[in-house]
Amino acid sequence: MDPERMNVEEAGGLKYLVLSCPEEKRPAPYKMKILREGLCPAVLPMRFLEQDGRLFFYYEQSGWMSLEQKLEREGAEPEKMLSLLQRLLRGLLQAEDMLLPAGDFPLTPADVFLKETSREKDCYHLCLLWEGGVERPSLVRRLAMLLEATERLGRCP
């Protein structure tokens, strides 16, 4: 994700990650509908704002923690990482079923989000940041890079 296009804002007690969308990367109308209406559970909840002809993606982050933050706090255990990778792949398959290609997701530890779903430890709902229209390495290469970053971040000091 390009940090120059990213900002964090707070409104009404909620925290949002805001990304500006270049005109040439504007999502197709069917993708806008899927994303706006939250039809794909694998995508972090979002809304759109159009201002002065520019499109902005607002991702609600309240209650969500990035994988990067989780690994920095708790480290990584192989069984937990395998479970997380399985959920990540299921999420990508859900997105593909809704015509949101895997290439639309950055897949870095900073772009994978977790939210506790119960009082049980390590029971999380996983969502991905959507950022379509960006040239990326193959899905296999990006998953390998995600695993490498996870291993680095998950090591205890």
Side-chain angles (χ1 to χ4, degrees):
M1 177 180 1
D2 181 0
E4 292 181 15
R5 295 185 21 235
M6 181 176 64
N7 190 21
V8 176
E9 293 182 14
E10 289 192 34
L14 298 174
K15 185 176 163 185
Y16 293 92
L17 174 65
V18 182
L19 294 177
S20 65
C21 178
E23 186 60 37
E24 68 275 6
K25 310 244 189 245
R26 185 178 280 267
Y30 77 91
K31 287 184 181 182
M32 294 274 288
K33 178 179 173 61
I34 290 167
L35 296 167
R36 183 184 309 112
E37 295 179 12
L39 299 175
C40 182
V43 178
L44 191 64
M46 69 183 299
R47 62 187 176 102
F48 300 102
L49 176 67
E50 205 154 340
Q51 188 174 28
D52 299 326
R54 293 183 60 204
L55 181 65
F56 295 90
F57 303 151
Y58 278 73
Y59 291 94
E60 186 181 329
Q61 285 192 296
S62 301
W64 292 90
M65 173 186 355
S66 73
L67 175 59
E68 182 175 61
Q69 293 168 322
K70 180 174 174 42
L71 292 171
E72 287 173 353
R73 286 185 197 163
E74 302 172 19
E77 294 176 28
E79 285 181 17
K80 291 179 186 174
M81 290 302 104
L82 180 59
S83 170
L84 188 117
L85 183 58
Q86 289 170 333
R87 284 184 276 163
L88 178 73
L89 290 171
R90 276 195 298 271
L92 288 171
L93 289 173
Q94 278 180 330
E96 289 263 344
D97 286 346
M98 303 208 70
L99 303 178
L100 298 174
D104 284 356
F105 300 92
L107 296 184
T108 69
D111 301 314
V112 175
F113 290 87
L114 306 166
K115 182 184 248 185
E116 287 190 284
T117 58
S118 75
R119 295 192 176 158
E120 290 180 42
K121 191 175 171 146
D122 301 318
C123 188
Y124 291 96
H125 179 67
L126 179 141
C127 278
L128 305 168
L129 186 97
W130 182 88
E131 185 185 24
V134 178
E135 289 293 320
R136 293 194 174 81
S138 73
L139 176 59
V140 172
R141 179 67 192 130
R142 286 184 300 123
L143 287 173
M145 292 183 324
L146 177 63
L147 286 174
E148 289 168 11
T150 299
E151 288 172 357
R152 274 194 313 276
L153 288 168
R155 289 196 180 108
C156 296

